[in-house]
Structures are given as C-alpha cells and as structure tokens.
Amino acid sequence: MAGMTLPAVGPRWELRRHDRALEPLWRDLTDWAPDYRFNPPEAAGKPDITDRVRNRIVEIRDVLFEPLQPHLNPAVAEEARDLARRNQLDDGQAEAVAQAAVIAVALATARQNAPVGNSGPVSFTGPGTDDYRDDATWLATVATAYTESPIVKTILEETTPDAEPAH
C-alpha cells in the first residue's frame, strides 16, 4: 500500500521545500510591492501547496517584470557571474547567484528611491522552466542564493552600502 501513496507524496514534498525556499524572496518583493500580492478568497481556506507555489511564482515574476524593472541593473548580473566563476561555481549556480544579486541590489535601490542607470532588461529564466514545477525549482535556487550566497551579500554591500541585508 505504501508504494501506491509515496509517488504522489514526492512531488508535494518537493513543492513544500520550494515554498519554504521561495518565502523570503517572495516576502521581500511583495512587502515592497504589496499591490502585487494575491489575496486568496477567505472562504477557500488555506490554499493547496500547488496553488500557493504557483501564486508565489506569479507574484515574484509580476514584481520583477513591472515595478522593480527600472531598478534591475544588468551590470550587477555580470559582476555576480564573474565572481561566481572565480569561486568555481558551475554555470547554473552562477546564473542563480547573478539573478539573486540583481534582485537584492534592485530592491535596495528601490527602497532608497535611488535612480538606476539601467542599460536594458534583465531576464529571470532558468534552464528548462517550461512548467511551474521547473520554474519553482529554478526560482527556489535563485531564492536560496538571495538569502545565503556570500557573493550576493558582497555585491549588495559594495553596490548599496546603506542597504538592509537580503533575508
């Protein structure tokens, strides 16, 4: 009987893990831009983990593509990728760190109402993000770098010395 229930549990555990990883990034972005946070109907009760992860993905992407876009600086991504390569991170890790650094610096400059000399849009996609589970995996990797990467912390300190650290 256990073999029949375990395959269904595996993806849900993974979604819970992604939800926990996404939470600090999602909170920081939607606290800064609360109009982009969905308000689930109270009658529906606590949202299913699948719905919650999908909502967080959409809310994160909405904030990145709309109100935060003018603060996203491609030069920060290049600096982060360079540091990541010097620290021998693989290409996927380097890209996650680069995206996390761009977000951290953008949020810091937006909170300070500082202008940004943005030279173009920044992409926030990862390898194989064709469905929400792949996207959740990628964004969880970026969110983990956002909260834990010493490279992100270094770039944030160098770029915006008065910034609050990423959570």
Side-chain angles (χ1 to χ4, degrees), residues 104-154:
V105 170
L107 262 176
T109 58
R111 287 176 177 147
Q112 296 171 359
N113 293 320
V116 171
N118 186 331
S119 64
V122 177
S123 174
F124 288 98
T125 58
T129 53
D130 292 337
D131 79 10
Y132 84 95
R133 289 182 197 271
D134 294 337
D135 207 17
T137 299
W138 176 250
L139 277 177
T141 303
V142 172
T144 300
Y146 173 80
T147 58
E148 298 177 7
S149 171
I151 294 170
V152 172
K153 288 178 177 77
T154 298

Side-chain angles (χ1 to χ4, degrees), residues 64-82:
L64 293 175
F65 293 136
E66 292 185 30
L68 200 59
Q69 186 66 39
H71 300 278
L72 301 174
N73 188 340
V76 170
E78 285 307 313
E79 181 182 353
R81 281 186 202 99
D82 184 49

